[in-house]
Every structure is written in C-alpha cells, then in structure tokens.
Amino acid sequence: MKNILISVSGGRSSAMMARHIQTDPRYKDANKLFVFANTGMERPETITFLQDMERHWGIDLVKIEGVYSEEMGVGVKYRIVDFGNMDMNADVFSSCIASVNKGIFHGLPQLQAPFCSGKMKKEPIEKFSNDVFGKNNYITAIGFRKEDMPKRISWPEIKHDEKRIYPLLTDFPEPVGLRALGEWWDKQPFKLGISSRLGNCELCWKKSDKNLVETIQHGTRFVNWWRDKEKEYGQTAFRGNKSIDDFVKMAAMPQTLQIDFEDVGEECSCGI
C-alpha cells in the first residue's frame, strides 16, 4: 500500500474517508494523493466544503478538470486548477459533451449513454494519477458506505479487489452507514452546507424526479443550461423523455399538490 489515490467527490462519505486515510496509523507510510475532479456544475456549497477540508484538516487537495478536444483521435486530458479559476458555469460539461459527439454518437448523457461520470471524473483522475504514480502503480480508495452493499459492492468483490480499497467498509468495527456517518460529522469543525440530496452536480440526470424538483425549488443555476443543451442536441438527458421544463413546471406546482413520482432514480455517484 505504497501509493493511494483518494478520489474526493465533495460529499460527506468521501470526505470522511479522506480524513480517515490522512490520520489513521495504518496509512502513515503511504504516499497519498487527494484529488477532486470538477465538472463545472458543482454546487457552490460543495466548493466551500472542499475549501473547509483544506482549511480545517490541512488536506492537500488537488483540483483538476477534464480537457476535451473535438478532434478525432484525441482523448481526454486534464488541467490542474484552484478555487480561484475553476469552472463554475458547466463549461467543462459542455466541452465534454461536444467531444463525445465528434464521432458517430449524437446526444446528451442519459440512461443509455451515461458517459459524463467516466469522461469528467474517472478518466481525468486516472490520467493525473498515472502521471504522478505511474500506471498501475497505486490503489484507489473508494468511499462506499454500508448502504452501498450489496448493490454496488459485495464482500467477495472487496476481498478479491487488488486495485481498490473501501476504508469505510473495512477499517471500522462495522461498516459505516448513514447513522455513523452523521455522528462522525457532528464532531467535526465544519459541515456540508446542503442536504446530501442536493449535491453534487446541481441537476444531475441520474437524480430521481422528486430530487430534481426539490433541487429546482431550492434554487439552481442550470435550468437555462439544460434548455440550451436540449435545443442544441435535439433530445433530453432525463428519464422518461422529460425535458427540463417539465421539471420546472412540476417545481412550480403548489406544495400541497401531491405529485405521483414513479421514478426513483439511482445512486447519483460521480466518482472513479
């Protein structure tokens, strides 16, 4: 366990994992690389949370963004940014979509083509980590919780995984769940300033219909962004072929009116 990549999403679970790896004696001699990949659609509260991780814990968090080309044969690259110059207008997301559309594929990320997490998180982080440690010369720490089992990970998979570790599941007397996570955060000097339901990307198409409506009601900067993308690419990213304006209309309904939300979405996870 010489080199460890710690992929920080901007949520509470990955932040707890990062602090654990930073301070736990079993990782004392490891070379630790803490990385956050920005999509440009992260909530401002998420960025403040990351700043607090640096300020209160002294974590050396590397912030990167994917760099994309519309030229055939040119893959995903990355650039290192800081809090002062990182994208907050989803320009990274726009460039990613344009790059994916340079070939025969045409469209937005959606259930049948969920490319955004891979292109904006996984590939830039892996390329950066390969440059730092060398290809296949590190393991990756993943912040799965008890609630992620067995849908996203199982004990046999954990046991036989030689490239990834799952500290919140393996390093504690019992796997860390939401209750233990909340109790741990109650003892920290800062908090994530929004409900976990609202993070990280403001209008992620993976969110449930109810969650998207709640996000719009709470306030979001990206309604017009999605309108422009739907017009540009001639389709929507959201489940059930719903447009962003369908969600805007639902969000404007009186709160006393019960909406029948059939879609429960999926775990909105943008990590490596």
Side-chain angles (χ1 to χ4, degrees), residues 12-13 16 145 147 168 175-192 196:
R12 297 191 305 158
S13 297
M16 177 184 176
R145 298 189 317 265
E147 289 79 11
L168 298 186
V176 173
L178 279 172
R179 180 174 180 178
L181 181 72
E183 291 173 349
W184 187 87
W185 275 106
D186 285 341
K187 302 173 184 177
Q188 302 308 309
F190 64 97
K191 302 287 188 296
L192 177 61
S196 297

Side-chain angles (χ1 to χ4, degrees), residues 5 13 46 57 61 65 107 109 121 129 134:
L5 161 65
S13 297
T46 298
W57 293 343
L61 181 64
E65 294 175 350
K121 296 284 187 177
S129 302

Side-chain angles (χ1 to χ4, degrees), residues 213-255:
V213 168
E214 290 176 343
T215 300
I216 293 171
Q217 290 173 336
H218 180 84
T220 175
R221 301 163 293 152
F222 293 109
V223 166
N224 286 334
W225 187 92
W226 276 115
R227 283 187 182 129
D228 292 342
K229 295 303 172 208
E230 290 176 356
K231 182 177 179 180
E232 181 179 356
Y233 291 95
Q235 63 174 221
T236 180
F238 303 106
R239 287 179 175 80
N241 203 35
K242 297 182 183 72
S243 69
I244 187 63
D245 282 322
D246 289 329
F247 291 105
V248 170
K249 291 175 184 177
M250 284 189 278
M253 291 181 180
Q255 294 187 9

Side-chain angles (χ1 to χ4, degrees), residues 189-214:
F190 64 97
K191 302 287 188 296
L192 177 61
I194 51 171
S195 166
S196 297
R197 298 192 309 275
L198 299 176
N200 296 317
C201 287
E202 290 193 17
L203 285 174
C204 175
W205 60 269
K206 293 181 180 180
K207 294 179 185 292
S208 68
D209 289 1
K210 182 178 181 180
N211 200 317
L212 287 164
V213 168
E214 290 176 343

Side-chain angles (χ1 to χ4, degrees), residues 44 59 88 113 115 117 128 139 157 160 187 189-190 216 266 268:
I59 284 181
M88 292 297 291
F115 61 80
S117 180
F128 174 63
I139 59 174
E157 289 174 304
H160 293 98
K187 302 173 184 177
F190 64 97
I216 293 171
E266 64 181 75
C268 182

Side-chain angles (χ1 to χ4, degrees), residues 7 9 37-39 42 66 68 76 93 96-97 100 109-110 113-126 152 201 204-206 266-272:
S7 178
S9 70
N38 180 43
T39 68
E42 320 288 342
Y68 308 92
V76 177
F93 202 171
C96 172
I97 295 171
V100 172
Q110 54 180 280
F115 61 80
C116 49
S117 180
K119 293 294 183 182
M120 290 191 289
K121 296 284 187 177
K122 186 175 186 292
E123 290 189 34
I125 290 175
E126 285 185 346
R152 302 178 69 190
C201 287
C204 175
W205 60 269
K206 293 181 180 180
E266 64 181 75
E267 182 71 19
C268 182
S269 174
C270 287
I272 191 167

